């Protein structure tokens, strides 16, 4: 019988034994009665998003978790652009950007003092700018972040970053150059360099920046770019296979992959990237979306943030918030529902960055065989009946419970 599925994703969940936690991982250290309940009632295993030892970003991790082959990755720029709601067409070149502070020769601060207000007005001053036959679409994202899209004929994503990415500010921005010998890459680099200078002229005396300087704050008077990607069509698996899907998240990257995948993206101002995110509301919306959809993904970012912060106890707290979210969901599930637990990658606290280690996974609910595993963690799930599988195998195994995966052969 066709099922209903909720997939709960704890970003960057996987970790390593940590001395601060008595040689336990944050997941082993945390108190997680609801995650353990699902593990004890279901099938468990370990998942490599692509393959053992291959490190992936949040963007690639969710390309895979949303059912796609990793070769469909369009680059971070298009994903970020879709995440903030820009409509992209095939051939657009998109970039991740920062508002920055520039003194005419060096970047004083590549985050413009982590500006929080006024970026919408600054973005409007740059949006729809045209240089030669190229139109620039520009939109603010969270805090100092923004996205830029170049639209026109004969463009290429094979261009360098202007972002100096210096650990300490005070270095010039990098002039953009082509990464191959094609005329398309040369044209893109030349026009983007013109845009950066024109943007500086537009922003330098913008009222937002005049006010910021008067109040003793850094001006957000420059744009630095990175992560160029060319928009290509990502398959809409829901349309192709015949299922409906919603994604609930507060992370622009995750929402961007959802939109490019043709899934309904649900966000709310109370969804943050930290432990103060509204997990009760996420659970409520997940249950609401399950009423009219076959599969619902609900995402939590805080576990990844604490891994990057090298904060194992903080990561354990974030995991307990994830458990709390799952606890809000469980009592209200329809009888034919399956709940899956997973992550997009590991972010070990000792490394402070993503790693290629596998993440624990669970499938639990109607029609799922239970194995002998009783707890949800990196060690216990390694003994489960799902064994070790790729992200593609994990998600397509779930899609099979929707009875939408095509039969192979006769």
């Amino acid at each position: 019988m066709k099922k209903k599925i909720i997939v709960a994703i704890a970003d960057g969940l996987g970790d390593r034994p940590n001395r601060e936690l008595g040689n336990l991982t944050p997941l082993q250290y945390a108190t997680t009665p609801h995650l353990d309940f699902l593990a004890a009632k279901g099938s468990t295993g370990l998942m490599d998003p692509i393959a053992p030892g291959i490190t992936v970003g949040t963007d690639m991790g969710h390309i895979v978790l949303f059912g796609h082959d990793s070769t469909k990755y369009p680059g971070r720029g298009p994903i970020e652009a879709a995440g903030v709601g820009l409509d992209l067409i095939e051939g657009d070149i998109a970039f991740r950007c920062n508002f920055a502070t520039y003194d005419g020769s060096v970047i004083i601060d590549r985050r413009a003092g982590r500006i929080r207000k006024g970026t919408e007005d600054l973005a409007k001053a740059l949006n729809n700018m045209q240089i030669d036959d190229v139109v620039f679409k520009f939109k603010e994202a969270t805090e100092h972040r923004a996205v830029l899209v170049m639209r026109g004929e004969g463009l290429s994503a094979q261009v360098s970053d202007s972002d100096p990415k210096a650990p300490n500010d005070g270095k010039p921005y990098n002039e953009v150059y082509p990464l191959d010998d094609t005329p398309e890459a040369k044209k893109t680099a030349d026009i983007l360099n013109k845009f950066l200078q024109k943007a500086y002229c537009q922003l330098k005396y913008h009222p937002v920046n005049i006010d910021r300087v008067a109040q003793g704050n850094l001006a957000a008077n420059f744009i630095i770019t990175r992560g160029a990607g060319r928009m290509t069509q990502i398959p809409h698996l829901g349309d192709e296979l015949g299922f409906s899907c919603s994604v609930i998240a507060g992370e622009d990257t995750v929402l961007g992959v959802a939109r490019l995948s043709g899934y309904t993206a649900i966000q709310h101002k109370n969804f943050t990237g930290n432990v103060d995110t509204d997990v009760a509301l996420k659970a409520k919306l997940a249950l609401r979306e399950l009423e009219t959809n076959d599969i619902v993904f609900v995402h939590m970012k805080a576990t990844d943030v604490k891994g990057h912060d090298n904060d194992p106890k903080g990561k354990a707290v974030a995991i307990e918030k994830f458990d709390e979210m799952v606890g809000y969901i469980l009592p209200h599930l329809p009888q034919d529902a399956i709940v899956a637990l997973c992550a997009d990658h590991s972010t070990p606290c000792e490394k402070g960055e993503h790693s290629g280690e596998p993440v624990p996974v669970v499938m639990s609910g109607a029609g799922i065989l239970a194995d002998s595993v009783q707890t949800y963690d990196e060690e216990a799930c390694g003994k489960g009946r799902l064994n070790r599988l790729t992200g593609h195998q994990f998600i397509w195994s779930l899609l099979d419970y929707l009875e939408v995966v095509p039969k192979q052969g006769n």
Side-chain angles (χ1 to χ4, degrees):
M1 184 177 70
K2 190 175 179 180
K3 312 294 184 184
K4 292 266 191 174
I5 300 172
I6 286 182
V7 182
I9 303 171
D11 204 300
L13 175 67
D15 215 301
R16 301 168 182 170
N18 194 287
R19 280 184 289 183
E20 189 176 332
L21 306 180
N23 267 344
L24 300 174
T25 70
L27 183 54
Q28 290 173 318
Y29 183 84
T31 301
T32 55
H34 304 105
L35 307 184
D36 293 343
F37 170 82
L38 290 170
K41 297 292 185 182
S43 295
T44 63
L46 295 176
M47 183 192 81
D48 298 287
I50 295 178
I54 302 300
T55 302
V56 303
T58 296
D59 49 359
M60 179 65 84
H62 284 83
I63 286 282
V64 173
L65 286 181
F66 291 166
H68 308 297
D69 187 274
S70 61
T71 60
K72 301 301 181 183
Y73 179 65
R76 188 65 174 261
I79 290 171
E80 296 291 330
V84 299
L86 284 176
D87 291 325
L88 302 178
I89 62 176
E90 193 152 354
D92 283 351
I93 308 299
F95 303 81
R96 302 170 70 192
C97 302
N98 282 12
F99 286 102
T101 306
Y102 182 56
D103 70 356
S105 64
V106 298
I107 300 294
I108 302 299
D109 187 325
R110 57 186 294 278
R111 297 181 180 87
R114 292 192 178 273
I115 182 173
R116 291 178 177 271
K117 295 181 180 179
T119 55
E120 182 178 358
D121 290 334
L122 295 173
K124 286 177 181 177
L126 304 181
N127 190 38
N128 291 321
M129 185 185 295
Q130 183 165 347
I131 299 175
D132 298 340
D133 63 342
V134 177
V135 174
F136 289 82
K137 302 289 184 181
F138 192 89
K139 186 170 176 57
E140 75 286 352
T142 55
E143 297 181 347
H144 57 278
R145 303 172 188 88
V147 292
L148 172 68
V149 173
M150 297 177 69
R151 180 170 294 170
E153 296 296 323
L155 299 177
S156 170
Q158 294 303 307
V159 295
S160 65
D161 297 342
S162 65
D163 186 350
K165 300 177 185 174
N168 299 309
D169 299 305
K171 291 190 175 183
Y173 77 92
N174 297 322
E175 186 165 326
V176 180
Y177 58 86
L179 297 176
D180 61 31
D181 294 330
T182 62
E184 291 82 4
K186 183 180 186 305
K187 173 183 177 179
T188 305
D190 289 345
I191 293 178
L192 181 53
N193 281 322
K194 292 177 184 177
F195 169 82
L196 296 178
Q197 285 301 315
K198 195 168 181 179
Y200 176 51
C201 294
Q202 288 284 95
L203 298 180
K204 185 162 49 172
Y205 300 113
H206 192 285
V208 169
N209 282 322
I210 292 173
D211 288 346
R212 284 182 63 80
V213 172
Q215 294 170 19
N217 297 316
L218 292 172
N221 60 7
F222 197 70
I223 303 300
I224 48 178
T225 58
R226 64 189 183 278
R230 183 182 183 87
M231 177 59 189
T232 56
Q233 188 62 48
I234 293 178
H236 287 189
L237 288 180
D239 294 337
E240 292 181 8
L241 300 180
F243 67 88
S244 55
C245 176
S246 285
V247 177
I248 298 161
E251 162 75 31
D252 284 342
T253 303
V254 176
L255 294 166
V257 179
R259 292 187 178 109
L260 292 178
S261 302
Y263 302 152
T264 300
I266 308 291
Q267 60 188 136
H268 192 278
K269 61 182 177 63
N270 290 351
F271 297 163
T272 74
N274 221 312
V275 292
D276 61 350
T277 195
D278 192 338
V279 292
L281 180 59
K282 283 189 175 182
K284 179 181 178 180
L285 292 178
L287 291 165
R288 184 196 73 183
E289 290 299 304
L290 197 65
E291 293 176 4
T292 54
N293 287 276
D294 298 302
I295 184 167
V296 175
F297 294 88
V298 56
H299 174 268
M300 184 169 176
K301 185 65 176 175
T303 39
D304 181 58
V305 171
K306 295 304 181 182
H308 284 290
D309 288 347
N310 190 13
D311 182 3
K313 288 188 176 178
K315 187 169 182 178
V317 171
I319 290 168
E320 290 173 353
K321 291 295 289 187
F322 181 68
D323 180 82
E324 182 183 338
M325 181 183 74
V326 172
Y328 286 128
I329 291 171
L330 291 180
H332 306 290
L333 287 169
Q335 285 188 340
D336 61 346
I338 291 171
V339 177
L341 305 175
C342 65
D344 54 344
H345 55 75
S346 291
T347 307
C349 291
E350 72 167 37
K351 184 179 181 183
E353 189 46 85
H354 301 184
S355 74
E357 289 151 299
V359 298
V361 294
V362 171
M363 300 177 188
S364 188
I368 303 289
L369 285 170
D371 54 33
S372 61
V373 172
Q374 296 297 302
T375 58
Y376 180 61
D377 63 63
E378 299 89 341
E379 181 181 3
C381 288
K383 303 170 185 176
R385 69 184 300 272
L386 295 178
N387 299 310
R388 190 159 175 171
L389 68 174
T390 67
H392 191 269
Q393 290 169 335
F394 176 70
I395 291 302
W396 278 70
S397 295
L398 287 172
L399 293 179
D400 186 49
Y401 285 102
L402 298 183
E403 300 181 4
V404 297
V405 177
K407 180 181 178 183
Q408 303 296 306
N410 293 324

